[in-house]
Amino acid sequence: EVEVDELQRLLAGMEKEHRSLLLKMKEGEAELARLRSVEGDKLAEQDRSAQLEKEVAMLREKIHHLDDMLKSQQRKVRQMIEQLQNSKTVIQAKDAVIQELKERRLRLLQNLEMHDRIEHLIEKQVSRGGHSSRVRSKSEYVSRYVGSTLTGPKPLPLIRVVET
C-alpha cells in the first residue's frame, strides 16, 4: 500500500508537473509566435526601408539629372540671347552705315543738282536771251525719284536675361 500510495503521489506529482509543463509550453509557444510576428514585422520594415532607400536614391539621381539638363538649357538660352544681342548690335551698326550712306548720296545728288543749275545759269548768261533747249540731267531725275523718303533705322527691342 505504501508503494501504491507513493506511486499515486508520484503519479499526481507527474500529472501536476505535466500540466505545469504544458502550460509553460503553451506560454513559450505564444511568446515564440509573438517574437516571430515581431521579427516578421521587423523584416517587413527592413524590406520596406531598403525599398524606400532605393527609391530615394533613384529620385535623387533623377533630380540631379534634371538639374544638369536645366543648367544646360539655361546656358543655351543665355548663349542664344548673347548671339541675338550681338546680332542686334551688328544690325544697328550696319543700319547706321546705311543711314550715313543715304545721307551722303542725298548730299551728292544735291551737289549734282546744284552743279547742273550752275551750268544752266552759265549757259544762260553765255547765250544772253537765246532760247536754249536742253535735256534734263540725270541728277534731276534722281533727285525727283529719291525725294525725301529717307528714314533712319528703327531701334531694336531689348531682351532681358532672367536666371532662376
Side-chain angles (χ1 to χ4, degrees):
E1 278 183 32
V2 173
E3 280 185 30
V4 170
D5 282 340
E6 182 67 28
L7 282 175
Q8 283 181 342
R9 190 178 54 81
L10 283 174
L11 187 58
M14 287 172 78
E15 283 179 6
K16 189 177 176 184
E17 189 177 340
H18 176 67
R19 281 188 297 243
S20 151
L21 288 174
L22 278 175
L23 185 62
K24 281 186 178 181
M25 185 181 81
K26 286 182 182 179
E27 288 174 357
E29 285 177 348
E31 180 68 18
L32 183 60
R34 187 184 66 77
L35 288 174
R36 283 183 181 158
S37 171
V38 167
E39 191 174 302
D41 290 346
K42 284 183 181 178
L43 287 175
E45 287 176 5
Q46 286 176 351
D47 288 344
R48 180 69 179 146
S49 176
Q51 181 184 2
L52 288 174
E53 285 177 10
K54 287 179 185 177
E55 287 180 22
V56 166
M58 189 171 58
L59 290 173
R60 281 187 181 144
E61 185 65 30
K62 283 183 180 179
I63 289 171
H64 180 70
H65 179 68
L66 289 174
D67 282 344
D68 288 346
M69 288 177 59
L70 180 63
K71 288 177 184 175
S72 173
Q73 292 300 322
Q74 286 175 339
R75 274 194 303 273
K76 286 180 183 178
V77 167
R78 277 194 298 272
Q79 288 173 349
M80 290 172 67
I81 289 172
E82 285 176 13
Q83 288 176 349
L84 184 62
Q85 288 174 337
N86 290 340
S87 296
K88 275 194 217 175
T89 304
V90 168
I91 288 171
Q92 287 174 342
K94 288 184 179 184
D95 283 346
V97 168
I98 289 171
Q99 183 63 28
E100 182 182 333
L101 290 173
K102 284 180 179 180
E103 290 171 2
R104 279 178 156 177
R105 186 185 71 186
L106 184 60
R107 283 194 302 269
L108 286 172
L109 290 174
Q110 289 171 347
N111 285 345
L112 283 173
E113 189 175 342
M114 282 298 227
H115 182 69
D116 286 346
R117 285 183 185 174
I118 290 173
E119 283 182 5
H120 179 67
L121 286 175
I122 291 173
E123 286 177 12
K124 230 178 179 185
Q125 285 179 354
V126 168
S127 64
R128 293 210 184 238
H131 190 343
S132 75
S133 63
R134 73 172 183 94
V135 178
R136 287 188 176 173
S137 67
K138 270 190 184 178
S139 64
E140 288 175 336
Y141 287 114
V142 173
S143 65
R144 285 188 183 147
Y145 174 73
V146 171
S148 61
T149 60
L150 297 176
T151 59
K154 295 180 182 178
L156 297 174
L158 292 176
I159 295 178
R160 291 186 182 164
V161 178
V162 178
E163 286 194 35
T164 57

